[in-house]
Amino acid sequence: MSTRTIQGEKNLQDIRQASKDGIGGSPLRPDGTLKVRGEFAYSSDMWHEDMLWGMALRSPHPRADILSVDISEALKLPGVYAVLTHEDIPGSKFYGLEIQDQPALAIDKVRYHGEAIAIVAADHPETARRAVKKIKVEYEVLNPIVTEEQCLAPEIHGYVHEPHEYKSHGSGNICHSQKLVHGGGVTDEIRALADVIIKSDYEVGMQDQAFLGPESGLAVPAEDGGIDLYVATQWLHVDRQQMAPVLGLPEDKVRLTLAGVGGAFGGREDLSMQIHASLLAQRTGKPVKIVYARDESFFGHVHRHPAKMTYEHGVTRDGRLVFADARIVLDGGAYASASPAVVGNAASLGHGPYNIPNVRMEAIALYSNNPSCGAMRGFGAVQAAFAYESQMDKLAEAIGMDPVELRQLNAMSEGDSMPTGQVIDSPAPVAELLQRVKDMPLPPPLDLENLDVRTLPGALSNTSHGEGIVRGIGYSVGIKNVGFSEGFDDYSTARVRLEVIGGEPVAMVHTAMAEVGQGGVTVHAQIARTELGVEQVTIHPANTEVGSAGSTSASRQTYMTGGAVKYAAEAVKAALIEKGRRRYGWTQSDITLSGGKVVSESAGPLVPMVDLLGDEAIDLTREHHHRPTVPFDKETGQGFGHVQYTFCANRAVVDVDVELGLVKVVELTAAQDVGKALNPLSVIGQIQGGCTQALGLAVMEEIIVKDGKVRNASFTDYLIPTILDTPPIPVDMLELPDPNAPYGLRGVGEAPTVSATPCIVAAIRQATGKALHRIPVRPEHITGTL
Amino acid sequence: MRVTFTANGKPVEADDVWEGESLLYVLRERVGLPGSKNACEQGECGSCTVYLDGTPVCSCLVAAGQVQGREVRTVEGLSDENGELGLVQQAFIDAGAVQCGFCTPGLLVQTDALLDADAQPSDTDIREALSGNLCRCTGYEKIMDAVRLASARKCAKAASE
Ligand code: FES
Ligand code: FES
């Protein structure tokens, strides 16, 4: 063991030595010290003297008409300050990310298990809990619409939303659909060109983001009649945009400040407690804090869409893909959330990073009485990757080819076209990434002589001493888009200020970027240091006083807000140099900022920045818009829809106890092209975290929904990987710059979550010989006792 | 009821404590020590781990009344009197084991207890000891690095003393 630990120290020295604190280095997180001290203020730590606690009454039924709501008993309880229903909402009663179909509090009917009906403010969380219990709701319980068959036959089973209830509502119970045809599509003639055709059905369960920090925040009524909200979110401005109309306030009277965020992974893209806390604060005139309990968190945010998929591929004997035909049905649940965009991703990325001459695809999202689904890491690309990568393994087996070789043979690379017709105009090293994971050393084989049962499947439960354990290896690769797609004007704003403080030049970076743990704050400081040649950078708290930063999602924040910080810093630098030119008449063309000085690269230092700045601050704001994209054609799916693509390949080694159906992932290797690693330590951390969520989806994570009811809304019953379930995750990072991106960088966070799930399943298949068409893989799928 | 105990070496008292309140709630909402985190309040995630009379426990599972007269040490008490970071705290920062950091306070206390019991645990020992602490962000690899680093520093320090 001592060699391991000494090595740990050495790695650290390497990192330190490489670290210049500018981009490409790995300076430590500016919030790290506060976090390890327990002093970092997360949203659930917000506190105000005299504050009240808010809580919601949630529906026990997935579908019901509300006949009456009686709040009188709840109001009588001492310590209760307010009980509100939809009737008390001052403004619009609906909100939504893409379609305003979601009532802030249920009106006349509930559409999913856990929908909020009424809210309470009280002086203690327990008082609030008791008050919630005293609200009497009379329901007429209806049969929930929960299966694809039911959803697609609304004339028999009914509508989740009455047709045309909302302006942009799709037809029937279909929330959104997208078709795609590429090459000759899929006809009998094209089918005839294939030597082998494989058709299978696949299913993905409903995964949860399961961030650790519960939805929470504090709403404080302001003297001007507005609301100040301190909240954990992914996008301050879009929260405000949805909140203000409901609160009946102009946007400038709804001010949001980011409170510490304990993870997000897409689950904080939709509103949760924001409107409820603000309504209660408005009504009571007192600060109101809401902190979800874990079960409420499961009800209070959207999940990853469960999917049913049919995939058909044709291949020639020598391994060339001929055609692919797919249908993806995503269950979007009761409200639209981000379903339309998820469908766009599923359709356009759903055939993987492969050149396939003829393609057909249809992806749809349903409205149902299941829990609402929306954004989660990998956003619409995850479900399809399980299906297309499973198909690649089947095809390889059918023609007797190595599965990595088959993938490499068909791998897309720079200059190739997506099935949408979009030409990939930056590196796409798909074959190389696969080669890299394949070439990495394998972990030592299972040593039955010297084994520690804690490392086996079943681990601490001591279920095996090596008998019945079989090892398997699997491979996969995936593709994910970066940034918001399909014509969305996705932009970010940054303000950079340079001034002299305490005799030193100091840069301040102000953005509305939600730091959700990904490390954006570290990178912003690195960018400012690099561009302005200063040591000291402070990061202003993220709030709505500066322009929108867009969402911390879609792997876009370093690209978008990082880009905005770069451009604002460049503008500040240009302004400072211009000031020097005017004052000193410099004529050199190679003037830049470095080490706290204005320097000419050829002539050396010109003047300390401190002297040039004097008492004046340079304070400039810039926006970064990425290059425009267009919506996909609804019928053909053609169009330049995505900003950037990112690729990750994985190899999984698993041990399976084939008698008990238990799986232990022994090692999960990743190779990813990150364009340029602005902070290698954070990049690797993101890749490892993304792989682990993929592992969760492969073997354990699922929200169990029966007849619309959630059965496992707790960390006791919804399992996320522990440190014992998670193996070493060696990461091989490739840096091929994207000419269109700031610094050449490529979004990082999601690609591993797309690619790592299928390789774990592939490894289990190799160990067991089972077909495994559904994830998460459960013991009974392996033992065949289902 | 009134509950008195010591937190990080200092006597504290909380009034009007409702008998159903947990130690976690009292620490976070009543005595100004919000460092221990509330992620599940069911004993499943370890985010709320504190020392109670020297033993790490999930403070969400301890009723406030149970700590009457006892000694609690939280993440806030892992730094020394001068505010200097403890060895385990520093290692978590240095190794990049902190992302959102919500799991961190609980992991720090649990790691501190592990290294107290065994300054040089094997990787499997570390995994076993930390298996009650969920982290959703890091994939645990950097947490392993942090514990190994803390172990190495602790051993080096012991050797030099
Ligand atoms: S909050 Fe105590 S174990 Fe999760
Ligand atoms: S760092 Fe976010 S939960 Fe561990």
Side-chain angles (χ1 to χ4, degrees):
Chain A
M1 273 312 103
S2 58
T3 51
R4 283 304 287 270
T5 44
I6 287 163
Q7 212 183 4
E9 188 77 64
K10 189 184 153 295
N11 283 345
L12 184 73
Q13 277 165 10
D14 291 349
I15 288 167
R16 279 283 165 73
Q17 254 146 34
S19 117
K20 274 292 187 221
D21 291 0
I23 64 159
S26 294
L28 303 174
R29 299 182 66 97
D31 54 7
T33 306
L34 283 177
K35 284 178 174 175
V36 299
R37 282 183 190 280
E39 287 169 3
F40 183 79
Y42 292 92
S43 56
S44 56
D45 303 334
M46 295 290 115
W47 195 87
H48 200 291
E49 219 164 315
D50 210 21
M51 75 183 185
L52 302 174
W53 291 79
M55 200 165 284
L57 167 72
R58 292 179 179 274
S59 167
H61 308 295
R63 185 180 179 212
D65 286 335
I66 297 173
L67 305 178
S68 66
V69 181
D70 177 2
I71 60 171
S72 55
E73 290 301 310
L75 272 173
K76 279 186 206 150
L77 207 66
V80 170
Y81 284 71
V83 183
L84 309 180
T85 68
H86 75 89
E87 289 175 1
D88 302 295
I89 292 177
S92 155
K93 298 197 179 189
F94 293 88
Y95 70 92
L97 273 180
E98 297 189 29
I99 301 173
Q100 280 72 51
D101 62 358
Q102 181 148 12
L105 288 166
I107 307 168
D108 302 337
K109 56 174 94 175
V110 287
R111 296 186 177 85
Y112 73 97
H113 180 201
E115 180 158 10
I117 298 166
I119 44 176
V120 168
D123 58 3
H124 188 285
E126 181 58 23
T127 319
R129 218 172 344 247
R130 287 178 182 170
V132 161
K133 288 226 169 88
K134 287 197 182 291
I135 301 171
K136 288 197 204 79
V137 184
E138 253 186 290
Y139 298 98
E140 161 126 7
V141 178
L142 303 169
N143 284 333
I145 306 163
V146 289
T147 66
E148 179 186 344
E149 292 67 34
Q150 289 167 346
C151 292
L152 294 182
E155 55 302 334
I156 303 169
H157 301 280
Y159 292 91
V160 177
H161 299 268
E162 290 311 313
H164 315 300
E165 214 167 339
Y166 314 104
K167 267 195 207 96
S168 38
H169 183 254
S171 57
N173 287 318
I174 295 177
C175 172
H176 192 76
S177 66
Q178 176 68 57
K179 291 194 171 109
L180 184 147
V181 191
H182 168 71
V186 179
T187 60
D188 288 346
E189 294 82 74
I190 283 170
R191 273 206 176 78
L193 299 175
D195 296 318
V196 173
I197 293 177
I198 302 270
K199 184 173 181 182
S200 309
D201 294 329
Y202 299 94
E203 200 179 324
V204 177
M206 184 186 288
Q207 190 182 17
D208 191 73
Q209 298 83 357
F211 41 74
L212 284 202
E215 286 93 338
S216 44
L218 178 72
V220 184
E223 274 176 14
D224 66 353
I227 288 285
D228 289 297
L229 180 69
Y230 301 84
V231 68
T233 178
Q234 286 174 242
W235 188 355
L236 291 164
H237 285 77
V238 91
D239 281 9
R240 168 162 87 171
Q241 195 187 319
Q242 295 175 89
M243 289 168 65
V246 181
L247 302 177
L249 292 171
E251 276 197 18
D252 60 0
K253 289 214 169 164
V254 182
R255 292 162 295 255
L256 274 71
T257 301
L258 189 73
V261 186
F265 317 114
R268 299 188 206 267
E269 208 162 75
D270 294 72
L271 294 177
S272 58
M273 46 59 67
Q274 288 88 330
I275 289 177
H276 296 164
S278 303
L279 286 171
L280 290 167
Q282 262 182 327
R283 171 62 72 98
T284 60
K286 283 168 173 281
V288 175
K289 170 166 166 168
I290 292 184
V291 180
Y292 282 1
R294 184 53 54 181
D295 59 342
E296 201 172 9
S297 175
F298 276 100
F299 291 120
H301 64 247
V302 301
H303 317 286
R304 185 188 307 289
H305 290 75
K308 292 210 163 117
M309 303 174 284
T310 304
Y311 269 73
E312 186 179 19
H313 281 86
V315 70
T316 60
R317 284 255 161 262
D318 57 0
R320 297 267 167 205
L321 291 172
V322 175
F323 74 88
D325 192 7
R327 182 163 186 271
I328 299 177
V329 179
L330 300 161
D331 186 344
Y335 297 105
S337 178
S339 284
V342 170
V343 167
N345 267 14
S348 58
L349 304 169
H351 286 300
Y354 301 112
N355 290 317
I356 312 175
N358 307 291
V359 164
R360 186 166 65 182
M361 165 69 82
E362 183 183 15
I364 62 172
L366 303 170
Y367 274 124
S368 72
N369 293 117
N370 287 317
S372 295
C373 291
M376 183 173 169
R377 197 176 201 167
F379 201 87
V382 165
Q383 296 89 339
F386 168 57
Y388 64 68
E389 286 299 87
S390 299
Q391 287 284 98
M392 290 305 130
D393 287 338
K394 284 193 180 192
L395 293 165
E397 195 184 334
I399 60 168
M401 186 180 261
D402 175 81
V404 173
E405 201 184 320
L406 176 95
R407 286 175 170 87
Q408 288 176 321
L409 196 61
N410 294 287
M412 55 173 50
S413 53
E414 185 168 358
D416 289 335
S417 296
M418 292 290 292
T420 57
Q422 182 173 349
V423 174
I424 300 195
D425 55 2
S426 71
V430 179
E432 181 177 355
L433 292 171
L434 280 160
Q435 196 60 43
R436 281 174 173 251
V437 285
K438 196 174 176 185
D439 290 346
M440 271 158 84
L442 279 165
L446 195 61
D447 177 2
L448 287 179
E449 302 284 287
N450 302 303
L451 57 78
D452 181 336
V453 292
R454 295 175 298 175
T455 64
L456 294 179
L460 296 176
S461 311
N462 197 7
T463 52
S464 167
H465 290 255
E467 62 281 3
I469 307 249
V470 184
R471 181 159 288 190
I473 302 179
Y475 292 90
S476 66
V477 63
I479 179 171
K480 176 69 184 56
N481 61 321
V482 171
F484 284 16
S485 302
E486 296 193 60
F488 192 88
D489 180 17
D490 186 16
Y491 73 97
S492 182
T493 317
R495 187 183 138 217
V496 172
R497 179 183 174 91
L498 183 67
E499 64 187 317
V500 178
I501 300 176
E504 255 194 278
V506 177
M508 186 273 303
V509 178
H510 185 185
T511 75
M513 177 202 69
E515 167 61 50
V516 302
Q518 84 278 19
V521 288
T522 325
V523 165
H524 290 177
Q526 289 177 267
I527 293 173
R529 277 191 208 107
T530 298
E531 299 303 332
L532 295 172
V534 299
E535 261 308 302
Q536 299 297 327
V537 181
T538 59
I539 304 292
H540 194 284
N543 58 26
T544 46
E545 277 168 26
V546 67
S548 177
S551 181
T552 301
S553 62
S555 303
R556 66 177 282 289
Q557 271 306 14
T558 305
Y559 191 120
M560 295 307 300
T561 305
V565 173
K566 177 176 193 273
Y567 301 137
E570 281 171 351
V572 168
K573 169 165 136 182
L576 182 67
I577 293 171
E578 187 48 36
K579 188 174 156 122
R581 285 190 200 282
R582 280 200 310 268
R583 185 183 298 173
Y584 301 108
W586 299 325
T587 52
Q588 295 93 326
S589 60
D590 60 354
I591 298 178
T592 185
L593 307 180
S594 175
K597 299 189 180 70
V598 185
V599 298
S600 152
E601 276 163 25
S602 52
L606 298 173
V607 64
M609 280 158 67
V610 172
D611 293 356
L612 182 52
L613 268 165
D615 300 337
E616 204 187 315
I618 302 179
D619 193 325
L620 294 169
T621 300
R622 288 289 179 274
E623 279 181 6
H624 177 203
H625 295 250
H626 60 61
R627 55 183 173 162
T629 58
V630 301
F632 298 122
D633 180 90
K634 194 132 168 83
E635 292 302 316
T636 67
Q638 298 301 297
F640 190 100
H642 296 307
V643 182
Q644 186 193 52
Y645 296 96
T646 166
F647 307 90
C648 182
N650 294 95
R651 181 186 67 201
V653 178
V654 303
D655 283 342
V656 185
D657 184 328
V658 293
E659 291 163 1
L660 297 176
L662 302 176
V663 175
K664 163 84 190 173
V665 182
V666 176
E667 189 188 73
L668 182 56
T669 305
Q672 187 170 336
D673 172 23
V674 302
K676 162 80 186 165
L678 264 50
N679 183 316
L681 190 68
S682 300
V683 164
I684 289 171
Q686 283 299 307
I687 295 173
Q688 289 166 336
C691 285
T692 305
Q693 294 193 336
L695 185 158
L697 178 60
V699 296
M700 63 180 77
E701 288 186 37
E702 182 175 6
I703 295 186
I704 310 283
V705 186
K706 280 213 181 94
D707 299 326
K709 290 204 178 184
V710 175
R711 303 302 168 120
N712 58 342
S714 74
F715 275 170
T716 313
D717 298 313
Y718 182 90
L719 304 179
I720 70 172
T722 69
I723 197 166
L724 265 179
D725 303 308
T726 308
I729 307 172
V731 174
D732 187 1
M733 204 169 65
L734 198 61
E735 295 185 75
L736 304 177
D738 175 351
N740 303 302
Y743 300 114
L745 69 83
R746 209 174 273 286
V748 170
E750 292 172 290
T753 304
V754 176
S755 57
T757 301
C759 81
I760 293 167
V761 182
I764 303 171
R765 276 192 202 110
Q766 210 224 21
T768 62
K770 300 279 177 192
L772 305 178
H773 285 161
R774 185 184 197 283
I775 48 173
V777 175
R778 303 197 171 284
E780 54 269 30
H781 299 145
I782 293 171
T783 55
T785 46
L786 197 63
Chain B
M1 68 182 162
R2 157 178 287 207
V3 184
T4 56
F5 56 100
T6 58
N8 303 322
K10 294 193 195 86
V12 292
E13 56 180 53
D15 281 322
D16 299 325
V17 174
W18 167 68
E19 56 276 17
E21 276 174 30
S22 65
L23 170 58
L24 178 64
Y25 183 86
V26 169
L27 288 171
R28 291 176 48 76
E29 304 292 342
R30 293 191 181 276
V31 304
L33 290 171
S36 311
K37 294 299 165 220
N38 55 322
C40 73
E41 302 186 52
Q42 264 192 339
E44 293 291 344
C45 73
S47 309
C48 63
T49 307
V50 301
Y51 281 112
L52 179 59
D53 289 342
T55 307
V57 297
C58 292
S59 61
C60 68
L61 294 183
V62 177
Q66 283 178 279
V67 294
Q68 178 60 41
R70 297 172 74 182
E71 223 173 274
V72 175
R73 191 164 159 234
T74 68
V75 65
E76 287 98 337
L78 292 184
S79 320
D80 71 12
E81 318 76 67
N82 310 321
E84 235 359 69
L85 290 185
L87 186 138
V88 175
Q89 289 172 308
Q90 191 61 52
F92 267 66
I93 298 185
D94 291 345
V98 181
Q99 288 187 15
C100 85
F102 209 80
C103 63
T104 305
L107 276 162
L108 290 174
V109 173
Q110 197 66 54
T111 303
D112 193 73
L114 165 68
L115 296 183
D116 252 359
D118 175 3
Q120 243 184 326
S122 70
D123 281 5
T124 313
D125 294 338
I126 300 173
R127 290 190 193 275
E128 178 173 359
L130 301 185
S131 61
N133 291 73
L134 297 176
C135 172
R136 188 54 157 169
C137 303
T138 60
Y140 302 106
E141 188 89 325
K142 303 240 174 282
I143 291 172
M144 292 297 295
D145 286 345
V147 181
R148 292 181 199 125
L149 183 61
S151 155
R153 287 177 179 172
K154 192 167 176 138
C155 293
K157 199 171 150 208
S160 73
E161 270 164 11

